[in-house]
Amino acid sequence: MLINFSIQNFGSIKDKQTLSFEADKSKHLEEYYVIETNGLRLLKLGLIYGANASGKTTILNALDFLRMLVLNPKNQKTESFDFEPFLFDENTPKQNTIFEIEILQNGVRYYYEVEINKNAIVREELFAYNPKKSNVFIRETDLENQATEIKFGNRIKINEITKNNFEQVTLWNNTTLGGFLKINFVSKELKDVVDWFYHFLSPVFDSKTSLDLFVTNNINKSITNKKIILEILRQADFNISDILFKEKESKVPKGFIEFLDNENLIPKEVAEELKNKEKKVSAIVEFVHKVQDKLYSLPFKVESLGTQRYYGFAGFLSKLITQSNLLSIDELESSLHPDLFQHFLLSFLVNSKKSQIIATTHNREILNDKDIFRSDAIWITDKDNEDCATELYSLADFDTKVIRDTTNVLNAYKLGKLGGIPNLGDYYINIEDDEKK
């Protein structure tokens, strides 16, 4: 599970900002929100709210960038990283970007930190708590010679020859975890952390992501139970009694499989199988609706956008309930009625056991529904007035002078007491000067 994630000098983020899933002392809705494990109280949900261009998506992109940094090591020293540091400052473009993450995997708490520039991993370290904090490895890079040096702690048993091989496959633009993926070496600690990024942390899904393919493929491969999907859709009042799949053969688009493979969206063996074929078999989805005791089959593409999107969400929900995953969703409310947005989150909170969700949203109702949302699960992104840098904080960070138990949080937000509100100008747009020219 995710404990904390910190970012510094990435995109709109200048100074270190931390998203924490550690619950505060409040017992409010604890039964549904809090998972107690390994002496920690961890939240299932983190909702990020704020104005447009305030940095909400940057938080998700930073986590996804770190995921790819670990899972997709570069093949050549000449390859650079595709990201931008904070640009509204004379110094930050020359400074390094830092990611810090604390996770819980297989009963062990891990702290991982990596510092990078555009071309290289500058510094990297991994610690484990079991129960005391101990060093797994510390990595430093000789930037002048583009060489990696890894110092392993007592937890790692490695001979000098294997260590040298490890350093050689860990290019200056590869993480040590990425190097681990390239070498035949056994380490529980390294495997734990890599597995967390690969199996627990999902890629970022946004309003443009085609979710139906994800669900349909999982149902066809019996990864997802169709009965659970139908039950989730029924509970959401979509009047769908069955899902039909018809096979269609089509040519594989150029570069499509490579994209899915690089983003770790499909298993390696499936990617290799598809690469060897000129055509792929895809499923055409139809929903069966029961109207006045008669059954009508409608193609997926003619269903409403809300129905299409919630079909994808049903797949997510099924996975979150039956497995252990961290789902990242940008603009969670896209194409969903506010009641359906709330229904999805409540279904997740009530039924999931060891999964988490990070989502950005513009749904203001979350600010004023204390019967459903905890303050420490709601985060706000705001832009600093001086340098336009993103600041991240939760509602739980405000003292009782700003937010009391009786405070109308939505009204406090509208009045600007919580930040994260757009600084809008007048409705009148002056075009007189342009007309005179």
Side-chain angles (χ1 to χ4, degrees):
M1 297 187 71
L2 177 62
I3 303 172
N4 296 300
F5 176 54
S6 299
I7 317 143
Q8 182 176 329
N9 196 26
F10 181 89
S12 63
I13 297 172
K14 179 183 177 183
D15 299 322
K16 180 179 176 180
Q17 303 296 318
T18 300
L19 177 70
S20 177
F21 271 72
E22 291 190 83
D24 62 20
K25 296 179 180 180
S26 172
K27 300 296 182 181
H28 181 54
L29 301 172
E30 182 166 8
E31 178 183 354
Y32 304 105
Y33 272 82
V34 179
I35 299 171
E36 294 194 23
T37 177
N38 287 67
L40 298 168
R41 300 176 69 252
L42 299 179
L43 294 168
K44 296 180 183 179
L45 179 65
L47 293 176
I48 306 174
Y49 182 86
N52 291 108
S54 63
K56 299 186 301 297
T57 303
T58 301
I59 307 294
L60 301 188
N61 287 343
L63 184 57
D64 197 55
F65 181 88
L66 179 59
R67 181 184 71 87
M68 297 300 293
L69 197 67
V70 170
L71 298 180
N72 279 354
K74 304 293 185 183
N75 293 316
Q76 298 180 349
K77 283 187 174 184
T78 54
E79 296 180 78
S80 60
F81 299 124
D82 184 17
F83 79 99
E84 294 296 338
F86 184 76
L87 298 177
F88 294 155
D89 186 282
E90 294 180 356
N91 299 313
T92 49
K94 305 169 189 175
Q95 296 171 350
N96 296 329
T97 294
I98 301 174
F99 302 100
E100 301 172 47
I101 193 166
E102 285 187 271
I103 64 173
L104 188 65
Q105 178 74 354
N106 291 332
V108 181
R109 181 175 182 172
Y110 292 98
Y111 168 85
Y112 177 61
E113 180 177 344
V114 57
E115 182 176 344
I116 69 173
N117 60 31
K118 281 276 193 172
N119 300 309
I121 307 295
V122 178
R123 183 182 57 83
E124 184 186 12
E125 59 186 31
L126 176 66
F127 290 89
Y129 298 77
N130 194 19
K132 294 182 178 180
K133 182 179 180 180
S134 61
N135 166 242
V136 178
F137 71 80
I138 295 177
R139 174 263 186 87
E140 293 183 350
T141 302
D142 181 342
L143 297 179
E144 183 178 348
N145 296 312
Q146 301 183 3
T148 297
E149 181 183 359
I150 307 172
K151 296 178 181 178
F152 291 100
N154 294 330
R155 303 178 72 97
I156 302 292
K157 305 301 180 184
I158 186 170
N159 59 48
E160 196 63 28
I161 295 176
T162 305
K163 178 178 179 294
N164 290 337
N165 290 336
F166 205 139
E167 290 177 337
Q168 287 182 12
V169 300
T170 306
L171 305 180
W172 77 320
N173 54 356
N174 285 186
T175 64
T176 302
L177 298 174
F180 174 70
L181 292 172
K182 294 181 177 182
I183 191 171
N184 185 21
F185 176 70
V186 177
S187 165
K188 176 189 182 301
E189 291 79 8
L190 299 182
K191 186 177 185 301
D192 272 354
V193 179
V194 168
D195 283 350
W196 187 90
F197 280 101
Y198 189 83
H199 296 292
F200 186 75
L201 178 61
S202 76
V204 175
F205 293 92
D206 59 26
S207 58
K208 298 177 182 178
T209 306
S210 182
L211 305 179
D212 57 294
L213 295 176
F214 161 78
V215 185
T216 301
N217 287 335
N218 282 353
I219 293 176
N220 284 335
K221 295 175 183 178
S222 299
I223 298 173
T224 300
N225 190 323
K226 188 174 84 168
K227 290 183 179 180
I228 296 178
I229 301 296
L230 284 170
E231 175 63 13
I232 292 171
L233 293 174
R234 186 188 69 80
Q235 294 281 9
D237 195 30
F238 281 109
N239 190 33
I240 296 172
S241 58
D242 199 3
I243 305 171
L244 304 179
F245 303 102
K246 299 179 180 179
E247 290 189 347
K248 178 183 177 182
E249 196 175 68
S250 58
K251 195 171 183 179
V252 178
K254 186 176 180 180
F256 178 67
I257 303 306
E258 287 75 8
F259 168 77
L260 294 178
D261 189 16
N262 290 336
E263 294 292 322
N264 293 300
L265 295 178
I266 56 175
K268 296 288 183 183
E269 59 273 16
V270 176
E272 289 301 321
E273 181 183 347
L274 289 174
K275 286 177 184 177
N276 295 327
K277 296 180 179 179
E278 293 185 357
K279 294 183 178 181
K280 65 182 178 72
V281 176
S282 56
I284 304 300
V285 181
E286 293 185 356
F287 289 156
V288 178
H289 298 263
K290 188 175 183 179
V291 181
Q292 295 181 351
D293 295 327
K294 293 183 179 181
L295 299 177
Y296 298 89
S297 179
L298 294 182
F300 181 81
K301 63 182 180 180
V302 304
E303 296 281 358
S304 71
L305 289 178
T307 303
Q308 292 180 18
R309 186 157 176 81
Y310 206 78
Y311 173 61
F313 276 34
F316 284 150
L317 192 54
S318 172
K319 191 174 182 181
L320 292 167
I321 292 172
T322 59
Q323 301 176 35
S324 179
N325 291 105
L326 170 56
L327 178 63
S328 299
I329 313 177
D330 195 18
E331 297 185 3
L332 175 61
E333 76 283 358
S334 178
S335 300
L336 297 182
H337 186 279
D339 289 349
L340 197 54
F341 167 91
Q342 187 180 99
H343 178 81
F344 171 77
L345 290 178
L346 290 178
S347 298
F348 163 71
L349 290 169
V350 170
N351 295 284
S352 67
K353 303 301 181 185
K354 292 185 178 180
S355 290
Q356 294 171 302
I357 289 178
I358 304 174
T360 69
T361 180
H362 289 117
N363 190 330
R364 292 203 299 190
E365 292 185 17
I366 67 171
L367 300 177
N368 210 38
D369 201 334
K370 296 180 180 178
D371 292 334
I372 296 177
F373 298 107
R374 283 174 59 108
S375 294
D376 54 0
I378 298 177
W379 293 78
I380 293 176
T381 50
D382 196 14
K383 283 290 187 74
D384 184 90
N385 290 330
E386 292 185 6
D387 56 14
C388 291
T390 294
E391 295 181 342
L392 177 70
Y393 46 87
S394 78
L395 290 184
D397 292 333
F398 291 95
D399 60 31
T400 55
K401 294 179 181 179
V402 180
I403 298 180
R404 300 185 178 90
D405 291 340
T406 57
T407 297
N408 185 310
V409 180
L410 180 56
N411 284 344
Y413 169 78
K414 289 178 179 179
L415 291 171
K417 293 182 178 181
L418 308 181
I421 194 167
N423 185 19
L424 304 177
D426 199 339
Y427 299 117
Y428 179 74
I429 299 174
N430 187 358
I431 59 173
E432 290 182 359
D433 292 339
D434 289 335
E435 289 179 343
K436 292 177 181 178
K437 291 181 180 179

